[in-house]
Amino acid sequence: MNALLLLLAPLAHGHAGADFTAVDLEREDAIETGFGLLLEESDGWHWVCHEAITTSDAIITPRYSTSPTGTWLAVVPDVTQAREEAQPVYRSEAGCSWDPVTGLDDQAVSDVLFIDEDTAIATTAEQREGRSGGIFRSTDGGLTFSDVHPLDEGRLVLRVLASGQTVYAASFVPESPSQAELHVSTDAGATWTDLPLDLSDLAGSQTTLAVRPVIARGDEVWLAVNVLTGHVLLHSDDRGASTTTVLVADGTLLDGAIATDGSVWMLEGPRGAWHSTDGVDFEPVEAPPAIGLSAFSADATLATSAAFTGGLTYQLTADGTATIGVQGSDLVGPLACDPGTEQHDICEPLWEQVLLAQPKGPTEETDTTDDTDLDGSEGCGCATSSAPAWVALLPLLLVWRRRR
């Protein structure tokens, strides 16, 4: 796997039968995991396999985005592992049939995001010699895309975020920290403004560097920059015209979210979380080892490993109290679909592999403020604790988290 895929792949083994590990939560009733996409219905959680859009032997975990009414877009970042040749992005209206979109053929698509029901944005991270990518836009609900902001060869975009009609993406040239740029659109991605981001001072002697937006709120945007000692979080309240450093982390800033009370959460893997009431001053919060973080209330929702923590998700309060949310036992079966759909024909025969992989882990509530961490080491501590092996094996940058 090349360097780019190490940046893009949240977990290896993205297929039926993989460990019960949650990766991200696009909404409260949908969980992206290493073994598939989980959708909540009245009787529990139903499973959609990644193999609906990947080859049968794919190891990369796709990423997903959903529209306000539940239309899905899914990206296979390594196009060679996509179900259909040279087709990296697929669309589904109900999770049953997954069809390739038009306009992104053979592109190294890194992220995709619905802005509203009609508008979606896709970004690329093209490393092939002689190829260049850009920022693509759809105005027909993700059916077709066109390149609205071409980028020079060698320039990578790893993530796109939106806050209303304001959209943010950052591009960089890995070997040139002085050439990073923040791309901002105030009209839902129709037109873009490029702002320079000279990150040379942060890079120091580092020869490669990556930057990505992790949270957006109106004119505010938070950018995570990898440095030799961990990650630096930059904040801007003027759409990137100026930035200030608000957090220096020893670990990897994996994800972030804005809670319903206006506070800001950041996830530092594998050490813990950070919480800020104003988005500038952050306090550490002890937390189970996690991969993704969302916020659907004042609390954070963590995506974690059921094999190690007992839950696919946890609710985390600002004082460090963590409570199991969704467990493996909440999964009731594959999503029911008609014959002829990918979900019925490809996924249903794979359901037995999911059952065999289901963990028999703990189910009790866990308070991470005591003296025992979930992996048996002494107190979590956002700056000192060790973590389970599955966290240590994560890539240095899990960079594709999406938040509105």
Side-chain angles (χ1 to χ4, degrees):
M1 185 176 289
N2 65 32
L4 174 59
L5 293 185
L6 286 175
L7 292 176
L8 296 179
L11 289 172
H13 317 301
H15 54 73
D19 290 343
F20 266 50
T21 299
V23 175
D24 199 12
L25 293 93
E26 175 75 7
R27 61 192 198 207
E28 284 189 271
D29 59 352
I31 304 173
E32 300 171 35
T33 76
F35 62 95
L37 175 66
L38 305 185
L39 303 177
E40 187 179 26
E41 297 189 343
S42 59
D43 60 341
W45 291 83
H46 292 256
W47 172 74
V48 177
C49 70
H50 293 317
E51 288 86 345
I53 62 171
T54 70
T55 59
S56 60
D57 58 352
I59 62 171
I60 198 167
T61 303
R63 68 206 59 187
Y64 299 84
S65 181
T66 184
S67 74
T69 59
T71 298
W72 286 92
L73 288 172
V75 178
V76 184
D78 179 2
V79 71
T80 66
Q81 298 184 40
R83 190 192 78 214
E84 295 193 19
E85 184 177 0
Q87 298 296 335
V89 179
Y90 297 78
R91 182 181 184 273
S92 177
E93 294 188 354
C96 291
S97 295
W98 294 84
D99 300 313
V101 305
T102 300
L104 293 172
D105 299 30
D106 200 32
Q107 292 287 337
V109 178
S110 55
D111 201 10
V112 66
L113 176 68
F114 269 110
I115 306 300
D116 52 42
E117 191 61 36
D118 298 320
T119 310
I121 303 295
T123 60
T124 66
E126 182 60 70
Q127 284 192 313
R128 288 171 288 185
E129 187 175 353
R131 297 287 299 271
S132 59
I135 301 174
F136 292 74
R137 185 173 189 252
S138 170
T139 58
D140 57 7
L143 289 168
T144 60
F145 285 80
S146 58
D147 190 350
V148 294
H149 195 64
L151 297 175
D152 296 335
E153 181 180 347
R155 185 168 290 277
L156 312 180
V157 181
L158 299 178
R159 188 180 178 195
V160 58
L161 293 181
S163 177
Q165 299 293 293
T166 302
V167 191
Y168 296 94
S171 68
F172 62 96
V173 179
E175 297 80 15
S176 301
S178 64
Q179 295 188 49
E181 292 181 341
L182 181 65
H183 310 287
V184 184
S185 171
T186 58
D187 53 11
T191 60
W192 294 82
T193 299
D194 301 330
L195 300 172
L197 282 174
D198 187 345
L199 304 174
S200 302
D201 290 343
L202 294 178
S205 61
Q206 190 172 350
T207 57
T208 61
L209 180 144
V211 58
R212 72 198 191 280
V214 286
I215 316 173
R217 176 173 57 190
D219 293 344
E220 287 187 285
V221 61
W222 288 258
L223 306 168
V225 183
N226 74 300
V227 295
L228 286 174
T229 56
H231 261 79
V232 172
L233 185 67
L234 303 179
H235 171 255
S236 173
D237 59 7
D238 53 12
R239 296 178 183 161
S242 61
T243 61
T244 57
T245 298
V246 294
L247 178 61
V248 178
D250 294 332
T252 303
L253 295 176
L254 302 177
D255 207 354
I258 296 175
T260 56
D261 63 358
S263 63
V264 177
W265 285 91
M266 286 297 304
L267 176 65
E268 179 186 354
R271 301 169 182 272
W274 295 86
H275 182 259
S276 172
T277 58
D278 60 6
V280 175
D281 298 310
F282 286 83
E283 296 293 333
V285 180
E286 300 218 13
I291 298 175
L293 182 148
S294 301
F296 306 108
S297 66
D299 301 333
T301 301
L302 303 178
T304 185
S305 169
F308 286 95
T309 70
L312 285 165
T313 69
Y314 270 79
Q315 293 298 113
L316 179 68
T317 65
D319 66 3
T321 300
T323 306
I324 287 180
V326 179
Q327 304 174 63
S329 59
D330 297 323
L331 187 57
V332 298
L335 184 69
C337 296
D338 293 335
T341 64
E342 285 75 24
Q343 172 64 14
H344 179 277
D345 297 351
I346 297 175
C347 296
E348 287 194 16
L350 300 175
W351 173 243
E352 184 177 355
Q353 296 182 31
V354 178
L355 290 176
L356 292 174
Q358 189 168 24
K360 302 298 187 290
T363 58
E364 68 273 9
E365 293 185 0
T366 302
D367 183 345
T368 61
T369 60
D370 60 19
D371 293 331
T372 303
D373 195 8
L374 291 169
D375 64 340
S377 61
E378 294 184 359
C380 168
C382 288
T384 59
S385 80
S386 60
W390 68 273
V391 175
L393 293 174
L394 290 174
L396 291 179
L397 289 176
L398 301 172
V399 295
W400 55 272
R401 306 290 170 246
R402 298 176 303 277
R403 291 287 172 266
R404 287 185 176 83

